[in-house]
């Protein structure tokens, strides 16, 4: 199915979801708060038939401990407002999330990496590529967990948390290396799953109680999921923090910092994915190597579409070019290659047409591959080129209406932004060509014109956009 690079959806907040309570009662509030917490978004398990019954219990918990902060507090020396209780719940959720992530990362090392290395199921080099810098993330989060736990006083409440977040968040820049490696890691893992030994080992692990029915990639993707959750948790802490609280001075700065880090990780990961797939392109003809492909810094989306002739194509919408390819069996460095199909189309020269369901069914090209004579062709759109090269036209079919709309949305975005970039580049070139020759004027006038020219060029900066999410 197509892979669309979308922003992370907002989580439901704690604030506003719990009815006001005049006399705070921790036990009475616990169930209400439980319903309001919606941060834990672990991947859904895959349904599989067990290979065999297991008699030995695992030392790893099958289910997460869902205990709330209010449930672990026996008594308080002073009453807390409903707002403060919610604040403590979110901070406790932050702490418990760190603890669970550390458990999972240790599990991955002990249950997957080490046995596969010892049993020679994969080579050390292959495992190094798949697991990346995962081992360096464990001490990083152990340090954060230790800091958070040290903030908890005798009454098990946390006062200021902002300074701790400000001090630790810069450590998350280590995620740039880990997330950038994930693109190639996922591709290699998918390729290695074709090996029966690897497939059998991973399936046994997934069916064991410790895995919670999650596959290896679910575990490897947990750090990225945790990273994008920090802004959501921090936003909830801000909501529950009263105006006079000392954290109000540091939480906005911490929020700005974590958003910048997440944005940087997104940007670098998008560039890494773009480079990875660019390297995987195979060109039957040298003329297919458009400069727009090499200049693209990110992917809007990519995935399988069906051509009007019935061919299944893997289509890449790069920042500046649309490339139709065919996956080929020939592999390079153990990874599949994509053979470029026809001439790639520059995004700035694309024309897009949304085809209503049933259009083209009377023509022979749509009638056979897209459906029988009695069926309507559905979820189709057409892309064609204008200018530069001879006109090309491709009618493509998505898997369903949702994927079709996602493709159309991404294509429209790419077309508009590519044309804007092209126009700005042209304007900048005209500005340079029409600037007076500084040598014809005196030194004073020359300096004045150079300053003026610099400002003119500066106002024609190209805007770059990043749409990838970790």
């Amino acid at each position: 199915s197509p892979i669309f690079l979308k922003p992370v959806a907002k989580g439901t907040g704690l604030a506003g979801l719990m009815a006001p309570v005049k006399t705070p009662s921790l036990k009475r509030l616990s169930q209400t708060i439980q319903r309001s917490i919606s941060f834990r978004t672990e991947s859904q398990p895959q349904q599989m038939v067990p290979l065999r019954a297991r008699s030995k219990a695992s030392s790893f918990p099958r289910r997460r401990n869902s205990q709330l902060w209010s449930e672990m507090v026996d008594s308080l020396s002073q009453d807390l407002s409903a707002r403060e209780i919610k604040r403590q719940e979110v901070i406790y959720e932050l702490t418990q999330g760190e603890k669970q992530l550390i458990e999972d990362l240790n599990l991955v090392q002990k249950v997957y990496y080490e046995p596969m290395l010892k049993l020679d199921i994969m080579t050390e080099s292959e495992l190094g590529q798949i697991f990346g810098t995962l081992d360096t993330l464990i001490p990083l989060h152990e340090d954060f967990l230790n800091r958070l736990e040290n903030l908890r006083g005798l009454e098990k409440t946390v006062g200021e948390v902002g300074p701790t977040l400000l001090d630790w968040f810069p450590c998350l820049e280590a995620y740039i290396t880990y997330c950038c490696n994930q693109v190639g890691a996922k591709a290699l893992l998918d390729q290695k799953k074709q090996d029966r030994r690897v497939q059998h080992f991973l399936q046994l692990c997934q069916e064991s109680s410790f895995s919670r029915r999650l596959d290896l990639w679910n575990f490897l993707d947990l750090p990225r999921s945790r990273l994008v959750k920090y802004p959501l948790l921090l936003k909830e802490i801000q909501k529950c923090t009263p105006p006079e609280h000392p954290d109000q001075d540091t939480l906005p700065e911490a929020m700005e910092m974590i958003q910048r880090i997440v944005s940087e990780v997104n940007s670098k990961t998008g560039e890494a994915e773009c480079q990875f797939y660019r390297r995987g392109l195979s060109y039957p003809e040298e003329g297919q190597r458009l400069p727009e492909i090499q200049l693209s810094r990110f992917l809007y989306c990519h995935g399988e579409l069906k051509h009007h002739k019935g061919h299944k194509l893997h289509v890449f919408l790069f920042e500046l070019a649309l490339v139709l390819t065919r996956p080929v069996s020939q592999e390079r460095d153990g990874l599949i290659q994509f053979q470029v199909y026809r001439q790639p189309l520059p995004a700035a020269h694309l024309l897009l047409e949304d085809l209503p369901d049933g259009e083209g069914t009377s023509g022979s090209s749509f009638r056979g591959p897209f459906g029988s004579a009695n069926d309507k062709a559905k979820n189709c759109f057409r892309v064609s080129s204008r200018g530069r090269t001879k006109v090309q036209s491709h009618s493509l079919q998505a898997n369903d209406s949702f994927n079709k709309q996602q493709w159309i949305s991404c294509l429209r975005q790419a077309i508009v932004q590519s044309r804007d970039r092209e126009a700005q580049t042209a304007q900048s070139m005209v500005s340079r060509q029409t600037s007076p020759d500084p040598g014809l004027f005196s030194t004073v006038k020359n300096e004045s014109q150079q300053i003026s020219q610099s400002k003119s060029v500066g106002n024609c900066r190209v805007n770059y956009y990043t749409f990838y999410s970790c």
Side-chain angles (χ1 to χ4, degrees):
S1 60
I3 300 174
F4 297 99
L5 313 178
K6 303 180 291 185
V8 180
K10 293 182 179 179
T12 304
L14 288 171
L17 292 178
M18 185 173 64
V21 180
K22 293 182 180 179
T23 306
S25 173
L26 296 180
K27 298 300 180 182
R28 188 168 68 249
L29 288 174
S30 63
Q31 291 184 346
T32 309
I33 297 174
Q34 173 71 65
R35 289 193 296 268
S36 71
I37 291 181
S38 61
F39 301 121
R40 202 167 284 139
T41 55
E42 292 180 334
S43 304
Q44 293 295 319
Q46 297 181 4
Q47 299 298 323
M48 296 182 65
V49 179
L51 292 180
R52 65 188 183 195
R54 291 276 179 171
S55 57
K56 185 178 179 180
S58 170
S59 59
F60 294 96
R62 186 183 183 91
R63 295 183 179 179
R64 290 302 195 192
N65 182 1
S66 59
Q67 185 184 32
L68 298 172
W69 173 81
S70 54
E71 293 175 338
M72 77 169 192
V73 179
D74 296 328
S75 62
L76 293 172
S77 61
Q78 57 183 348
D79 289 338
L80 295 178
S81 66
R83 185 177 188 178
E84 179 59 28
I85 291 173
K86 287 187 287 185
R87 182 174 177 274
Q88 294 299 326
E89 291 290 1
V90 183
I91 296 174
Y92 183 70
E93 169 68 14
L94 174 65
T95 305
Q96 290 300 102
E98 291 301 304
K99 187 177 295 185
Q100 293 168 4
L101 178 63
I102 293 167
E103 290 175 358
D104 282 333
L105 297 186
N106 281 317
L107 181 149
V108 171
Q109 289 288 102
K110 299 293 183 183
V111 175
Y112 288 93
Y113 182 91
E114 293 177 8
M116 284 196 286
L117 181 61
K118 290 178 181 178
L119 297 173
D120 199 27
I121 293 176
M122 290 193 208
T123 67
E124 186 173 3
S125 174
E126 291 169 338
L127 290 171
Q129 184 174 343
I130 291 172
F131 287 80
T133 57
L134 186 74
D135 58 332
T136 66
L137 301 182
I138 297 175
L140 185 150
H141 287 279
E142 286 176 338
D143 173 52
F144 188 36
L145 176 60
N146 185 59
R147 297 188 192 199
L148 291 174
E149 290 181 334
N150 288 339
L151 293 177
R152 202 167 297 283
L154 295 176
E155 295 178 345
K156 299 183 179 179
T157 59
V158 174
E160 286 188 76
V161 72
T164 298
L165 299 177
L166 271 176
D167 189 50
W168 184 79
F169 275 163
C171 299
L172 290 172
E173 292 186 355
Y175 270 68
I176 295 175
T177 302
Y178 182 77
C179 291
C180 287
N181 179 72
Q182 279 195 298
V183 182
K186 180 66 164 62
L188 179 57
L189 179 60
D190 289 342
Q191 190 269 331
K192 293 301 295 183
K193 284 180 179 178
Q194 306 304 314
D195 185 309
R196 282 192 173 186
R197 288 190 71 207
V198 175
Q199 184 183 42
H200 183 66
F201 176 85
L202 295 179
Q203 192 170 0
L204 283 174
C205 289
Q206 187 172 348
E207 288 302 313
S208 300
S209 59
F210 59 75
S211 72
R212 306 191 304 280
R213 298 278 185 157
L214 303 178
D215 65 16
L216 174 57
W217 185 252
N218 290 140
F219 285 108
L220 293 176
D221 198 43
L222 285 176
R224 183 201 59 81
S225 300
R226 184 64 181 168
L227 177 66
V228 298
K229 196 179 293 185
Y230 287 124
L232 303 178
L233 290 165
L234 190 51
K235 183 179 180 181
E236 294 303 320
I237 295 175
Q238 282 185 292
K239 281 184 182 180
C240 304
T241 302
E244 67 278 4
H245 197 285
D247 269 345
Q248 287 292 2
D249 296 330
T250 52
L251 287 179
E253 188 178 350
M255 175 63 83
E256 183 179 346
M257 180 183 292
I258 188 61
Q259 288 176 335
R260 176 188 60 78
I261 292 172
V262 171
S263 177
E264 185 178 5
V265 172
N266 286 341
S267 177
K268 296 296 184 182
T269 306
E271 292 177 16
E273 183 185 39
C274 184
Q275 293 172 6
F276 176 81
Y277 285 113
R278 278 208 315 254
R279 289 195 300 268
L281 296 178
S282 171
Y283 299 90
E285 300 175 14
E286 192 61 29
Q288 294 174 327
R289 296 180 182 270
L290 291 187
E292 285 85 352
I293 299 175
Q294 299 305 315
L295 291 173
S296 292
R297 300 187 309 163
F298 61 86
L299 273 168
Y300 284 98
C301 60
H302 66 97
E304 187 178 280
L305 292 172
K306 187 181 291 185
H307 197 270
H308 72 277
K309 294 183 178 180
H311 304 145
K312 287 185 178 181
L313 302 175
H314 197 99
V315 181
F316 296 93
L317 179 56
F318 291 97
E319 178 190 11
L320 302 174
L322 179 70
V323 183
L324 282 63
T325 72
R326 291 172 173 167
V328 293
S329 56
Q330 177 187 358
E331 295 176 355
R332 182 183 63 189
D333 299 330
L335 301 178
I336 194 168
Q337 285 186 280
F338 297 89
Q339 186 180 77
V340 175
Y341 173 77
R342 303 292 176 83
Q343 185 71 13
L345 305 177
H349 298 169
L350 276 177
L351 297 174
L352 174 64
E353 184 181 0
D354 185 351
L355 300 179
D357 288 350
E359 182 161 320
T361 50
S362 59
S364 58
S365 60
F366 276 85
R367 191 169 180 175
F370 282 0
S372 65
N374 297 322
D375 293 333
K376 291 183 177 181
K378 296 182 179 180
N379 310 316
C380 302
F381 59 92
R382 182 180 294 124
V383 289
S384 54
S385 64
R386 62 178 180 86
R388 188 184 295 191
T389 59
K390 64 178 182 179
V391 176
Q392 286 191 77
S393 179
H394 301 282
S395 296
L396 303 168
Q397 183 182 41
N399 293 331
D400 52 48
S401 59
F402 175 78
N403 286 336
K404 172 188 172 180
Q405 291 307 316
Q406 290 290 316
W407 275 103
I408 288 177
S409 175
C410 288
L411 282 162
R412 284 173 177 164
Q413 226 168 12
I415 291 169
V416 170
Q417 290 171 4
S418 294
R419 290 178 184 174
D420 285 348
R421 172 174 172 155
E422 198 172 68
Q424 290 170 350
T425 302
Q427 183 180 349
S428 179
M429 292 177 64
V430 169
S431 176
R432 294 192 189 98
Q433 292 172 357
T434 57
S435 297
D437 184 356
L440 299 178
F441 298 87
S442 64
T443 303
V444 176
K445 289 183 179 180
N446 181 27
E447 291 177 354
S448 174
Q449 289 163 358
Q450 286 178 346
I451 294 173
S452 175
Q453 181 181 351
S454 175
K455 289 181 179 178
S456 175
V457 174
N459 290 332
C460 299
R461 293 175 182 170
V462 175
N463 293 320
Y464 295 99
Y465 304 85
T466 301
F467 295 90
Y468 188 91
S469 180
C470 202

